[in-house]
Amino acid sequence: RSPSDLIIYHFSIGWDKGLSLLRKANCKKVVKYHNVTPPSFFDGINTDYGAVCRAGREQIHDIAKLACDLYLADSRYNGGELIAVGVDHRICRIVPPFHRIDSFSELKGDDVLVRKYKDGSTNILSVGRITPNKRQDRLIKTFAEYVHTYDPRARLLVVGKLDARLERYNSLLRTLVQTYNLSDNVIMTGGVSEEELKAYYRVSNLFMMASEHEGFCVPLVEAMSMKIPIVAYASSAVTETIGDAGLVWKEDSSQLLAESIRAIVTDVRLHTQLGELGYGR
């Protein structure tokens, strides 16, 4: 309400009320852009999700025209989207999102889960909300390639909240697990506590990301902090976040990712080198 006030607006979905507030505010205005998921990912899955994301993509242009005092982006990928729609690069800064690595590193983790999954099987971990843009369907297909080609005892730990509004996608994942005969290999945990999350990281040999759209991806930072090697597709901001601390491929090939997993699991030196690179990053 006064020029000395400050609004920091975290922008990741379409919200008319928020846009109206920014237009009316008579003060310093900062936008933190976390990226907006392209609505096409929700086609045939959920129209409400698609509508909110579509509105968000449209509002990128509106927010760029507001001439705020400062625009912050999680990554160069996000910043590039802002600049492409007219934000002056001189007032656009890259500020990675907050994470909890310091406090997370002090957690011991759930001992029950550690004992359950530290059984000699190879554990491949993926962390993130269960949603079409994160492509857990592609994750399962890649894991199936690895299991049926190299290691029938391997386990995929898919840690992330399930959203009932995305039941069509959730159902697709369950169908894939059954189709590839992976009921004993794929564990979908749903939402977990911090202690449980730490346990899943502790028992994992490798972190795999098959996502097609990320504005940054904090779980990659969590994995690197635990010295867990990463295999991922080179999409959106994933490459930028990982840097040289993982095996990141542009090719959409389940066989290539399966071979990458095999290389890391069987080559102790490679496993150690990638873990150290991640920790350093």
Side-chain angles (χ1 to χ4, degrees):
R1 295 178 179 176
S2 76
S4 62
D5 289 336
L6 168 67
I7 289 177
I8 303 176
Y9 182 66
H10 290 262
F11 177 41
S12 61
I13 61 172
W15 189 37
D16 292 339
K17 186 175 180 180
L19 184 59
S20 176
L21 176 66
L22 284 175
R23 283 174 170 157
K24 293 177 181 177
N26 177 34
C27 66
K28 290 181 172 64
K29 291 175 278 193
V30 175
V31 171
K32 178 67 185 290
Y33 181 46
H34 299 283
N35 213 292
V36 179
T37 305
S40 58
F41 284 109
F42 301 99
D43 289 348
I45 303 292
N46 185 284
T47 55
D48 290 339
Y49 260 87
V52 169
C53 291
R54 189 168 292 105
R57 298 302 298 184
E58 293 169 356
Q59 286 180 9
I60 296 173
H61 299 266
D62 297 322
I63 284 179
K65 294 175 183 176
L66 290 177
C68 295
D69 296 271
L70 187 63
Y71 291 84
L72 305 176
D74 290 342
S75 58
R76 290 192 301 274
Y77 174 77
N78 288 4
E81 285 197 351
L82 293 176
I83 292 169
V85 296
V87 171
D88 188 335
H89 70 90
R90 293 170 296 182
I91 57 170
C92 185
R93 300 284 185 273
I94 308 304
V95 181
F98 295 132
H99 56 67
R100 297 161 292 177
I101 296 306
D102 292 338
S103 60
F104 191 65
S105 65
E106 297 174 359
L107 286 175
K108 182 181 179 183
D110 188 307
D111 284 332
V112 174
L113 284 176
V114 172
R115 287 193 297 269
K116 180 177 181 179
Y117 292 118
K118 202 79 170 177
D119 58 358
S121 295
T122 295
N123 290 318
I124 299 168
L125 176 67
S126 187
V127 177
R129 291 181 303 108
I130 308 303
T131 181
N133 61 291
K134 292 186 181 293
R135 293 301 306 273
Q136 283 91 358
D137 58 307
R138 183 161 61 181
L139 183 75
I140 292 170
K141 292 175 184 176
T142 297
F143 177 69
E145 177 81 24
Y146 176 73
V147 166
H148 297 314
T149 305
Y150 298 113
D151 185 1
R153 293 182 63 243
R155 187 184 289 123
L156 176 63
L157 303 170
V158 184
V159 179
K161 292 181 179 180
L162 290 157
D163 188 334
R165 294 170 294 179
L166 300 176
E167 177 53 30
R168 288 186 181 179
Y169 186 65
N170 300 339
S171 177
L172 168 64
L173 301 183
R174 291 193 295 268
T175 299
L176 285 173
V177 169
Q178 294 172 356
T179 300
Y180 290 114
N181 196 26
L182 295 172
S183 297
D184 294 331
N185 303 80
V186 176
I187 311 297
M188 299 190 69
T189 69
V192 300
S193 68
E194 290 286 282
E195 290 76 14
E196 290 169 332
L197 178 61
K198 180 63 176 285
Y200 285 118
Y201 277 110
R202 281 182 57 192
V203 303
S204 295
N205 304 87
L206 181 142
F207 189 96
M208 184 161 63
M209 175 62 64
S211 180
E212 203 164 311
H213 184 266
E214 298 287 338
F216 181 83
C217 193
V218 169
L220 292 173
V221 179
E222 294 172 347
M224 290 189 284
S225 77
M226 295 284 292
K227 297 186 178 180
I228 300 174
I230 297 170
V231 173
Y233 282 106
S235 70
S236 50
V238 170
T239 305
E240 177 185 343
T241 300
I242 297 174
D244 63 355
L247 299 183
V248 184
W249 303 106
K250 294 181 180 179
E251 295 88 346
D252 187 355
S253 167
S254 294
Q255 182 180 2
L256 179 59
L257 261 72
E259 291 172 356
S260 299
I261 295 168
R262 177 68 171 175
I264 292 173
V265 170
T266 58
D267 188 334
V268 175
R269 183 179 178 185
L270 177 61
H271 187 284
T272 301
Q273 285 179 336
L274 288 174
E276 292 294 338
L277 283 169
Y279 188 74
R281 183 162 180 76

